[in-house]
Amino acid sequence: CVSTSVRVGANLGYRMILVEDACDCFDQPDGEGGVISARDIHRAHVATLRAEFAEVLSTAKLVEALQRPAAA
């Protein structure tokens, strides 16, 4: 859901910010009897979204940015 929302928003011209530690993934079967860890899936999604669709921040960095005084 997060990945789709970020991609669509970017394609519609919105500036997208992904707060990487505020979303998560699930382990997924790899189709060959193994499992791809949620951590690996999360890292891959974040890397893909960062490369083309969004600015990626941590929660702490976003809060810090929101607390700065607005530029005049």
Side-chain angles (χ1 to χ4, degrees):
C1 293
V2 171
S3 181
T4 300
S5 297
V6 169
R7 290 170 188 264
V8 170
N11 287 336
L12 291 172
Y14 290 97
R15 174 182 174 215
M16 302 305 293
I17 299 173
L18 173 65
V19 183
E20 66 179 321
D21 58 345
C23 55
D24 209 354
C25 293
F26 299 98
D27 291 344
Q28 294 290 321
D30 68 2
E32 299 176 358
V35 173
I36 303 169
S37 73
R39 181 174 184 203
D40 287 344
I41 293 170
H42 180 78
R43 289 179 62 226
H45 277 289
V46 170
T48 301
L49 294 171
R50 178 185 284 122
E52 191 172 349
F53 299 99
E55 178 181 355
V56 177
L57 300 174
S58 66
T59 300
K61 290 290 183 185
L62 178 62
V63 169
E64 178 185 313
L66 291 173
Q67 291 176 338
R68 282 188 218 128

